[in-house]
Amino acid sequence: MTGNENPSAPTAADGDTGGGGGLVFIAMAGVLIALVATVVVIGLIGLLRDENDGGGAGAGGAAESTTLGLSLSEFKIEGDLEAAPGDVSLLVTNNGSQQHNLVVVETGAETPMLNSGENATLALGNLNVGTYEVYCSVAGHKESGMDAELVITNSPAPTGEAAAGGSHDHNSPDFNADEMDAIMINSMLEFPAETEGKGNQILEPEVLADGTKLFKLEASIIDWEVAPGQIVEGWAYNGQIPGPQIIVDVGDKVQVELTNNTPMGTDIHWHGISTPNSQDGVSPFTQDPIKTGETFTYEFVADQARIGMYHAHLHSQISVPNGMFGAFRIGDRPYPRGETISGVTIPEDFEPDVELPMILNDAGTIGLTLNGKSFPGTEPLVLNEGDWVAADYYNEGLTAHPMHQHQFPQLVYAKDGIPLDYPYWADTVNVAPGERYSVIYQASAPGVWVWHCHILTHVERDTGMFGMVTALVVNEADG
Ligand SMILES: [Cu+2]
């Protein structure tokens, strides 16, 4: 039971019992943050302009000297990208939440890796008229949009205009709060939206004569619809992102036959799963790379209950952010049946009404996604009041994501599949790369309740809500 296939799920707009309030709250918080960020950016640009004016006078008007302000974020490069020929410097600021840098291809100049909020000045020396490519060299960021052209021209646009165009100075005559509200709200009302392709489909094994369960995987590059109309080059197992779920019982003999139809060598690491060293999937140490067109079969006994995942290890910085990952579970989840945690007793016969993997990603071609989809293409969870949800968070991305569930506290009962002696309740569960957290929670009130990463730039941008947001649509118990 997935609870995800109800095509007539109400839109977020139908929520009238508090879910709408939550969405409005996110929208307001986002607008506030955008305003603060804008004031900072505009202030910086003002400073740069003042410096430029002073510098020009000191140089006696001989050669032009320009400092351009550039802003890095997920996943774009914004700011002043035009200058007159002459001495050009870039003041590069990381306004995003992840690490970024800036490389200028033609000159070879490169900033150090910048943490969120840091900046660096890059002196490019004397530039002639022409076009210069700039990009962020963190794996996958260029493909996700952090690629731009610096244009040196004899008639450059006035400094500061490009950056101001993408931001919201509330003192500017261009500022239009109603328009900003409309853009954000309209983007939210598009949820839920249909997209092509669905990941996490349960993979049925072929059962061999000796009882071994054989699973077949094919790695290849596919067109993947991340959000409505947004098609990217995804790197997939069996044509889906995330790859299919593999679920086996404790004691099963398992074989996984992988055929590599990607353009690079690959392998599979069974993350959180106990295997002999020869099956750990780390070429060249434990096996040779599986070259393009080759097939390799992994074989091990699933000897312990685990909540693990599988992903490529060789070239993982390219293939995993682009989609080559999936959930792998051995045995039953270790629900804390009969335990009382902070005054709440979990029934002895506890069974969830809905189980789902929640695989987080934030880079590569697919970008900020939940189960391979970006809002409004993320799947809503359609529930009845009182239903229990069992969700396993898996972070296959490059940064941590605090996953917040509106209203319904989540009982964290296992970390990396290992049962906790002291489970705990939390409304926000921070999941770092490589980690898994297993939670259960009860949808105890009707309404539309959002469920999202609480790094706000992972869920909103100028053009509206996107990325790591989905919602529970909880119907009243009496229908
Ligand atoms: Cu996040």
Side-chain angles (χ1 to χ4, degrees):
M1 174 173 184
T2 68
N4 291 348
E5 54 264 283
N6 184 346
S8 59
T11 65
D14 297 333
D16 58 357
T17 52
L23 291 170
V24 169
F25 173 77
I26 295 192
M28 286 172 59
V31 168
L32 262 176
I33 286 174
L35 283 172
V36 171
T38 299
V39 169
V40 171
V41 168
I42 297 297
L44 261 177
I45 288 165
L47 280 175
L48 288 172
R49 278 179 160 164
D50 294 347
E51 273 179 19
N52 288 344
D53 292 345
E64 283 274 356
S65 168
T66 315
T67 299
L68 301 174
L70 293 187
S71 164
L72 309 179
S73 61
E74 294 78 36
F75 290 95
K76 49 197 175 183
I77 298 171
E78 293 176 300
D80 299 320
L81 286 159
E82 276 189 22
D87 209 28
V88 176
S89 294
L90 305 178
L91 173 58
V92 183
T93 305
N94 182 358
N95 289 315
S97 52
Q98 306 178 21
Q99 283 193 329
H100 299 293
N101 73 349
L102 189 89
V103 177
V104 181
V105 175
E106 288 76 6
T107 69
E110 182 174 342
T111 68
M113 197 55 70
L114 301 173
N115 293 317
S116 177
E118 289 182 346
N119 64 59
T121 300
L122 203 56
L124 301 179
N126 195 50
L127 296 186
N128 295 320
V129 169
T131 301
Y132 299 78
E133 184 186 8
V134 296
Y135 71 96
C136 171
S137 73
V138 175
H141 287 197
K142 180 180 175 185
E143 294 74 14
S144 300
M146 298 192 70
D147 189 22
E149 281 186 348
L150 168 65
V151 178
I152 304 300
T153 163
N154 285 312
S155 51
T159 305
E161 239 167 47
S167 53
H168 310 285
D169 176 3
H170 65 269
N171 292 316
S172 147
D174 296 333
F175 176 80
N176 185 328
D178 287 341
E179 194 182 315
M180 283 176 62
D181 287 355
I183 289 170
M184 187 58 68
I185 286 165
N186 288 339
S187 75
M188 294 167 76
L189 295 181
E190 283 172 25
F191 179 80
E194 291 283 323
T195 54
E196 189 83 29
K198 178 172 160 51
N200 287 328
Q201 297 177 44
I202 293 174
L203 184 59
E204 294 300 334
E206 192 181 309
V207 181
L208 306 183
D210 70 346
T212 298
K213 290 181 178 169
L214 169 64
F215 297 89
K216 290 185 177 172
L217 293 178
E218 184 217 2
S220 68
I221 297 182
I222 59 165
D223 283 340
W224 184 249
E225 190 174 19
V226 170
Q230 191 193 335
I231 314 283
V232 301
E233 232 179 43
W235 291 44
Y237 292 116
N238 294 10
Q240 55 187 286
I241 298 173
Q245 287 188 68
I246 298 179
I247 302 172
V248 299
D249 297 319
V250 175
D252 279 349
K253 282 184 277 186
V254 177
Q255 286 185 9
V256 182
E257 181 189 291
L258 170 66
T259 301
N260 177 19
N261 286 324
T262 71
M264 307 170 91
T266 193
D267 49 19
I268 294 184
H269 171 59
W270 312 98
H271 185 111
I273 303 292
S274 137
T275 70
N277 183 250
S278 63
Q279 305 302 300
D280 195 42
V282 182
S283 51
F285 300 133
T286 65
Q287 67 176 93
D288 291 331
I290 308 165
K291 300 278 194 189
T292 306
E294 289 181 357
T295 295
F296 182 90
T297 301
Y298 292 92
E299 187 167 4
F300 52 87
V301 176
D303 59 352
Q304 297 168 55
R306 297 289 174 143
I307 299 169
M309 54 197 185
Y310 63 95
H311 52 223
H313 204 269
L314 185 69
H315 302 302
S316 58
Q317 50 106 3
I318 295 170
S319 49
V320 177
N322 289 354
M324 278 170 62
F325 50 77
F328 192 114
R329 183 157 57 82
I330 303 173
D332 295 328
R333 295 185 185 81
Y335 298 124
R337 294 187 174 103
E339 289 186 40
T340 299
I341 300 118
S342 303
V344 180
T345 301
I346 305 304
E348 286 286 357
D349 59 352
F350 174 85
E351 284 297 338
D353 298 284
V354 174
E355 304 169 64
L356 81 162
M358 178 57 93
I359 307 190
L360 316 176
N361 213 313
D362 48 45
T365 53
I366 63 171
L368 293 153
T369 48
L370 301 178
N371 287 332
K373 299 285 177 174
S374 171
F375 182 95
T378 45
E379 280 197 282
L381 208 52
V382 181
L383 304 167
N384 292 316
E385 187 178 349
D387 277 355
W388 280 89
V389 175
D392 300 317
Y393 293 111
Y394 303 78
N395 190 336
E396 288 280 15
L398 306 181
T399 193
H401 301 284
M403 293 301 296
H404 178 58
Q405 166 63 63
H406 280 218
Q407 289 301 324
F408 310 132
Q410 314 174 75
L411 179 62
V412 183
Y413 66 90
K415 162 75 166 79
D416 300 335
I418 300 163
L420 298 179
D421 287 340
Y422 299 98
Y424 58 93
W425 294 94
D427 63 36
T428 307
V429 178
N430 194 35
V431 190
E435 288 188 324
R436 280 96 61 225
Y437 285 88
S438 295
V439 304
I440 54 176
Y441 60 83
Q442 188 173 28
S444 52
V448 175
W449 306 100
V450 293
W451 184 13
H452 62 96
C453 170
H454 218 289
I455 295 177
L456 301 178
T457 50
H458 292 184
V459 298
E460 283 187 335
R461 56 189 171 194
D462 293 354
T463 50
M465 186 166 277
F466 83 115
M468 309 181 81
V469 196
T470 186
L472 313 186
V473 179
V474 184
N475 298 310
E476 280 184 46
D478 55 13

